[in-house]
Amino acid sequence: MTEAQSEQVLRVDAYPTHEVGGYRVRAGKPFPFGANVVPGGVSFSVFSDQATSMSLVIYKRGEPEPMAELEFPEEFRTGSVFAMTVFGLDHENIEYGYRADGPFDPVTGHRFDARQVLSDPYARLIAGRDVWGVEPDRSRGYQYRSRVCLQDFDWGDDTPLGIPAEDLVVYEAHVRGFTRHPSSGVTAPGTFAGLREKIPYLKELGVNCIELLPVFEFDESDNPRSNPETGEQLFDYWGYNTVAFFAPKAGYAATGRYGMQGDEFRTLIKDLHAAGIEVILDVVFNHTAEGNEQGPTISFKGLDNATYYMLTPEGYYFNFSGTGNTVNCNHPVVRNYVLDCLRHWVADYHIDGFRFDLAAILGRSLDGTPLPNPPLLELLAYDPVLRHTKLIAEAWDAGGLYEVGNFPAYGRWAEWNGKYRDTVRSFLKGDPGITGELATRIAGSPDLYSSRGTSASVNFLTAHDGFTLADLVSYNDKHNEANGEGNNDGGNDNASWNCGAEGPTDDPEVNALRTRQMKNALAILFTSQGIPMLLSGDEVARTQQGNNNTYCQDNELSWFDWDQVDENAELLRFTREMIAFRKHHRELRSTAHPTGRMRDSLGLPDISWHGERAWQPDWSQESRLLAVARCGTGDDDVVYVAMNSHWESHDLELPALPGGRSWHLFADTGAEAPYDIRTPGAEQELDNAGKYLIGPRSVVILVGRTNDPETTGTP
Amino acid sequence: MTLNLKERRNKTGTVLVATGEINSETSGAMLQTLLPLVREGRPLRIDLTAVTYVSSAGLRTLLVVYREAQHAGVAVTLYGVSEEVRFVMSATGFLDFFETGEAAAAEAKVKARSAR
């Protein structure tokens, strides 16, 4: 007898006790919520505080009309939870939903509508949008159908990687956009399986964490607009409109039409882990796809509107998300829902961390006022299952709450540092009066995170929301006409500069400057303390033709063009070497903010600031030149980064080095490729040890080390 | 769609020829057929040439057989996996677990070439 056989035991609860609608049933277990395969059947459990009755609606897979509708007997209700085990169901070939009846009284928050079949908030799979972009049958009464899912994936010895936060190099990517372009050459473009085929590219680039735009089931076809110029249908491409929080998007899976998206996504994660790459999910708990009182009833609205949403005293939806509704995150029931959801992704999908969209909302009370000690954020910070996951907040919301530097962290939460983005962008443009703040930002923003350390700061210059790096240096203004909103959508405050011509140009000087500006941005990003985040495609100058809000553009504006890997090999090489350089120098990844105190072993401070003259930084309003030298605990070498956003070159006096060290050139963005950057450890010693001419709008990186690279640098 | 199973024994082991679909309805019967064969301890080849579709439950059943065979120290090979089934098995990671007849044959060819 094998182990599997010996574990088969007869259970009392494997026998039905009742019959409902011709099906043999018994009272289910209230926990866990959702649909769970149990001996002989499937246990269904759903919460509704105010429902007067609840029915389980079962469909044969793909059929328009239900095959059964089973009302929960009163004795199957525990508290406000309806739970029932139904025997004899072929779990693979059914879809299900709930019909909840109760009061329709918006002033008291209740919007029950017994005409609607509702998705299970805990559904682990959804049917109805199985293949991306296929026009749905809108005549169907029940669009987003819950499905039963087995949770027996064979993970082997995979576990979350636990890379220290300070060592992360995050790559923000869109599952579909990464391989949908015809040039991707993968077997299944635009899918989890396609992304899996590109793991070698990510590994070679050197990133060790991929942050995926939303992968929870959403409906890409819920955008009614079309491109005013071409007439083409516009989509909800980014997917920040969640339909089902526990379900991976079927349309992102090559096997979604077979309902195997869960396994396909897990396989991607497993292989990313095997390549040393963590997976962070961009999660959207601030609102749902149900919109305001005009929006569709999909799940929460019909099950327990007053619990799940923040409502005004008149029963309208608060709109701190800018999208119609706001999830009632600090309601005790909703807190547990969010916790259950994240635990599910960690335990059942081995996810390494989460980036929370508009996370300031997670700190609002039931009436919308910001809480000093938000219970949800504390709960997530201390939860045993989430204990070692990364928690990253987008620490603002559309209701005007801006908490960068003040997000309730509980020693755990990091933040997208919007101030880092704005400062470095402004410096790159050549704005005056920036050097002082630039110093603060590249040192890990001690003004914001003094008690939390540098890894509380996720440093980024570009993200999905805004210009790409190539567009940041090619456009002064956004060009969002293709979105069909009269160019009124997207941010206006971009701190971008087109380098002398708006958009594409044949002018070689402008193009050379743009390339240099991109390298400057990357050089600053990867030598700053804090966690660097790179937007997918920035390493090959991906353009969105000036569109800074491509949320609806499922086309070449958004997709990663793999031909650019060859066309922009120079920038790609620069990015790879910069990432490698960061890994090579622990002082760039120090968790402690530098203090300027002297390091005994080298006779240099952990950080020192310089200008044209060594030890004499110029903090004046007109200064556009700043140099920083770092040496940190455990390393014997010194890293010197000079940043010049002035349109003129400057002679730099280099600080003297102790202990037989000399300055070696790692990167000079003013130099022609391939002399713009070296491989870490193979830097070239300077002929003139005391001086270096930095070109206009350039960044120079030097390493102070002995001539034996083997003895210096600590990976 | 049903699943037909035919068993054939030869000198080197047992071959089970499957025809139809392997899904949640048919996989239970397949498991009942396969587990006793695994316990016999002879090498087992599952011929899927005439299998048009393997569902999520079907893939799990094949993996259960494979795991049972590993415990018993029995070699199990999948043979004749169609392009569509292979694609699904590859995308969902199941293919990584199995020895497939094609791969084994290719490996044998490489070995033969290098032996020359």
Side-chain angles (χ1 to χ4, degrees), chain A residues 610-651:
Chain A
H610 311 270
E612 278 191 284
R613 302 293 307 275
W615 305 100
Q616 293 180 27
D618 180 358
W619 305 116
S620 70
Q621 185 72 7
E622 290 307 311
S623 168
R624 293 178 175 82
L625 172 70
L626 179 66
V628 57
R630 284 190 180 89
C631 54
T633 310
D635 289 333
D636 287 332
D637 51 4
V638 183
V639 173
Y640 172 92
V641 182
M643 297 158 282
N644 179 26
S645 65
H646 196 204
W647 44 89
E648 291 179 5
S649 47
H650 292 270
D651 257 321

Side-chain angles (χ1 to χ4, degrees), chain A residues 46-69:
Chain A
V46 63
F47 158 81
S48 175
D49 196 42
Q50 295 293 321
T52 51
S53 71
M54 181 77 71
S55 296
L56 170 69
V57 187
I58 307 173
Y59 298 77
K60 190 166 182 196
R61 195 162 180 219
E63 293 295 320
E65 298 301 325
M67 65 187 231
E69 184 154 343

Side-chain angles (χ1 to χ4, degrees), chain A residues 82-94:
Chain A
F82 300 81
M84 174 162 58
T85 296
V86 184
F87 293 90
L89 289 178
D90 176 5
H91 62 82
E92 198 172 61
N93 287 307
I94 61 161

Side-chain angles (χ1 to χ4, degrees), chain A residues 2 90 92 152 154 258 267, chain B residues 24 55 57 60 67-68 84 92:
Chain A
T2 66
D90 176 5
E92 198 172 61
D152 57 349
D154 194 330
Y258 302 123
T267 298
Chain B
S24 55
S55 77
R60 283 170 163 73
R67 288 288 183 236
E68 288 282 342
E84 178 70 7
T92 53

Side-chain angles (χ1 to χ4, degrees), chain A residues 2-5 90-93 150 152-154 187-188 193 196 254-255 257-260 263-264 266-267 270-271, chain B residues 22-25 35 39 53-60 63 67-68 71 84 87-88 90-94 96-97:
Chain A
T2 66
E3 287 174 42
Q5 283 175 305
D90 176 5
H91 62 82
E92 198 172 61
N93 287 307
L150 291 169
D152 57 349
F153 187 76
D154 194 330
T187 314
R196 184 170 162 232
T255 58
R257 62 188 185 279
Y258 302 123
M260 296 195 211
D263 288 329
E264 187 175 322
R266 290 183 186 99
T267 298
K270 189 177 173 181
D271 282 7
Chain B
I22 307 175
N23 55 35
S24 55
E25 286 180 66
L35 289 182
R39 285 177 207 133
Y53 173 64
V54 185
S55 77
S56 175
L59 289 172
R60 283 170 163 73
L63 192 53
R67 288 288 183 236
E68 288 282 342
H71 277 289
E84 178 70 7
F87 172 74
V88 171
S90 171
T92 53
F94 282 91
D96 297 341
F97 292 108

Side-chain angles (χ1 to χ4, degrees), chain B residues 8-16 37-38 40-46 73-77:
Chain B
R8 198 173 67 227
R9 287 159 193 273
N10 56 32
K11 284 182 189 169
T12 55
T14 306
V15 180
L16 187 87
L37 296 179
V38 168
E40 284 179 14
R42 308 181 78 222
L44 179 64
R45 188 164 92 162
I46 306 172
V74 174
V76 173
T77 313

